[in-house]
Amino acid sequence: MVNHVVVIGGSYCGLGITHRLLKNRSRIPDLKVTLISKNSHLYWNIASIRAIIPGVVKFDELLQPIEPGLAQYGPGNAEFVVGSATGVDATAKTVKVATAEGDRDVPYDYLVIATGAGCSDESMPWKADGTYEEILDSIKKMGEKVKAAKHITIVGGGSTGCELSAELRYEFKDKTVVLLSGTPELISGDAAAKAIEKELVKLGVEIRKSVRAESTTVLPDGRTEVKLGNGETLITDLYLGTTGLTPNSSFLPKDFLQPNKFIDVDEHFRVRTAENVWALGDVVSRPNAAYLHTDPQSAGVAKNIEAAIAKRPQQIVKSMPFSAIVCATGRDRGAGRLGIVPVPSFMAWALKGRTLSIERAASYINGSHW
C-alpha cells in the first residue's frame, strides 16, 4: 500500500520536506511524494531586494526550475504538479488543484501545507507568492520604476525595509531614499537596531521613525502622494511597501485557521483539527516569519511524517536554539546579532550581504542542501 505524502508549496519549506522524505525513502515503505506548487520555479526571494536593481542579479539564478531536481527520484516516487491549491477536503483526504490543464483532485494519506504568505501590498515582489511568469514580470517592472525614480519612499522599518533602502542607496547615490518606520526604533527595537541604523545613515538613507503612512494617492504625473499619520504629506516618485504579511490560507477549511488566518498547529506542527496534516513556515509564522526557521521546521516535520507512517510518537519540532538577525546593508557591509552576540560588519557581509545566499538555490533544487 502506497504511503502518499502531498506537499503544498514549492518554496524553502516545501522543498525541504519533499527532498528529505525522498532521500530517505529506503526506510519509508512504499513512499510517494507529490509536490504541488503555483510556481514552476523556486524563487530565491531573499535576493528580491537586490533583484529589483537592473542588471545586478541574474534571473536564472533567482528563479530556478523545480522539476529537474525531482526527476532523480523516478516518476513512481515523486510527482510535481504546477497549479494552485483551491481547496482541501480533510474528510475525503483530497486537495483540489487548479492547473493549466484543468481542475484535478489529488488524494493524500499525509498532507503538508507550506504555502507561505504574501505581501499585504500584492504589487510588491518580496514574497514567493505567484507563478513564475508573474514574479519575473513583477521584478522587471519594478526594476524599470526604480531606475526612473529620483525620490523613493520605503514604508516599513523591519528587515526588508532596512535591506531594501540600503540596496537602493548603495547602487544609486544620486537618488533620495526615505525609510519610514512606524515604531520608535528600526527592527521593532531589536538589540541590533542601532547598529543597523548606523549602517543605513552611512549610506545616506533618510530615516524617519514613529511615522506611519496612512494613505497613498497616485497623482496625474505618476508620482505618489503619501499622507502620514502626523498630518504631513510626502510626494515621492516611487512608493515601496514592506509591511504586513497575508497568509496563503484562503483555500483551507476554516477550522484549520486561527482568527488571524495563520494555520493553528501544535508543538509537533500538526494542524490541531485534522488527522495527518502538518503545516510550517510563513503560513504558520511560529515563532515568526523568517527564513532561519525554515530548515529546522522542515527537518522536524519530515521526521514526524516518517514517525506517523511507522506509527511512532510525534516529536516536538524545535526552531533555532537562539534568536538571530543578520541584515545586509548593501553589497559590502551588514549588521546584526547571533543571540546576544553582535555580528561584525564583515561577518554580516560574509553570511548574507555578499550574495544574499543565492548560490544556495541550486542545492535546494537538487536536494544536496539536505
Side-chain angles (χ1 to χ4, degrees):
M1 180 179 176
V2 173
N3 289 301
H4 189 196
V5 180
V6 173
V7 180
I8 311 175
S11 193
Y12 309 122
C13 287
L15 285 173
I17 293 280
T18 299
H19 280 291
R20 278 187 163 98
L21 290 173
L22 288 167
K23 287 166 79 74
N24 293 317
R25 65 190 184 281
S26 61
R27 65 175 188 241
I28 307 174
D30 302 313
L31 174 70
K32 178 182 177 181
V33 180
T34 297
L35 176 62
I36 299 169
S37 175
K38 181 190 297 186
N39 194 342
S40 58
H41 290 55
L42 168 65
Y43 174 35
W44 197 261
N45 69 303
I46 296 168
S48 61
I49 47 107
R50 190 169 292 171
I52 65 167
I53 299 172
V56 176
V57 175
K58 295 179 180 179
F59 293 141
D60 61 354
E61 294 179 354
L62 184 73
L63 290 141
Q64 299 190 30
I66 292 170
E67 191 164 25
L70 300 182
Q72 64 184 299
Y73 303 114
N77 299 311
E79 182 182 4
F80 183 48
V81 178
V82 179
S84 298
T86 58
V88 170
D89 186 330
T91 302
K93 290 193 171 183
T94 58
V95 179
K96 185 172 288 295
V97 186
T99 74
E101 294 75 33
D103 291 349
R104 60 177 286 192
D105 289 328
V106 179
Y108 69 84
D109 299 305
Y110 306 90
L111 177 64
V112 180
I113 305 164
T115 46
C119 301
S120 295
D121 183 344
E122 295 180 358
S123 67
M124 297 295 112
W126 320 131
K127 302 298 286 184
D129 183 30
T131 66
Y132 167 73
E133 293 80 11
E134 288 169 348
I135 291 172
L136 185 59
D137 183 62
S138 176
I139 294 167
K140 288 180 177 179
K141 286 181 177 177
M142 188 64 71
E144 293 171 0
K145 292 177 181 178
V146 165
K147 189 175 181 179
K150 295 296 184 185
H151 187 286
I152 301 173
T153 299
I154 298 164
V155 175
S159 295
T160 302
C162 290
E163 291 188 329
L164 177 60
S165 62
E167 290 291 329
L168 292 171
R169 273 296 298 178
Y170 181 92
E171 179 69 17
F172 302 108
K173 301 297 191 294
D174 60 336
K175 297 183 189 295
T176 299
V177 177
V178 179
L179 176 62
L180 303 181
S181 173
T183 56
E185 298 295 338
L186 300 179
I187 319 291
S188 299
D190 187 273
K194 292 295 185 184
I196 293 169
E197 181 175 348
K198 185 177 179 181
E199 293 291 337
L200 297 182
V201 170
K202 284 181 183 177
L203 285 167
V205 177
E206 296 182 15
I207 302 171
R208 299 189 61 183
K209 294 181 283 189
S210 297
V211 177
R212 295 184 181 275
E214 297 293 336
S215 64
T216 61
T217 303
V218 178
L219 302 175
D221 63 3
R223 294 185 298 168
T224 299
E225 179 184 84
V226 185
K227 290 188 177 180
L228 306 179
N230 61 5
E232 292 182 50
T233 297
L234 185 151
I235 306 295
T236 188
D237 296 325
L238 182 59
Y239 174 93
L240 299 174
T242 67
T243 60
L245 288 178
T246 302
N248 296 323
S249 62
S250 60
F251 67 97
L252 295 171
K254 291 182 179 179
D255 64 356
F256 279 25
L257 309 178
Q258 302 177 66
N260 61 6
K261 306 303 181 184
F262 289 90
I263 300 177
D264 188 18
V265 297
D266 62 17
E267 67 270 26
H268 310 122
F269 278 64
R270 288 187 303 188
V271 176
R272 295 182 190 275
T273 57
E275 181 185 15
N276 291 332
V277 181
W278 295 260
L280 69 163
D282 286 2
V283 76
V284 172
S285 287
R286 177 175 174 173
N288 52 40
Y291 168 76
L292 289 174
H293 300 311
T294 60
D295 224 27
Q297 286 182 10
S298 64
V301 171
K303 288 178 181 177
N304 278 340
I305 294 169
E306 188 175 341
I309 293 172
K311 302 192 184 309
R312 298 195 307 267
Q314 296 284 286
Q315 301 296 315
I316 293 174
V317 175
K318 298 178 180 179
S319 288
M320 291 279 290
F322 54 85
S323 64
I325 181 169
V326 179
C327 186
T329 54
R331 277 171 262 161
D332 59 10
R333 294 185 65 83
R337 61 173 179 80
L338 299 176
I340 62 172
V341 180
V343 176
S345 181
F346 77 90
M347 186 179 292
W349 167 82
L351 289 171
K352 190 176 186 183
R354 183 171 60 90
T355 63
L356 296 175
S357 303
I358 200 169
E359 70 280 358
R360 294 185 186 178
S363 68
Y364 274 66
I365 293 296
N366 62 33
S368 62
H369 181 76
W370 302 283

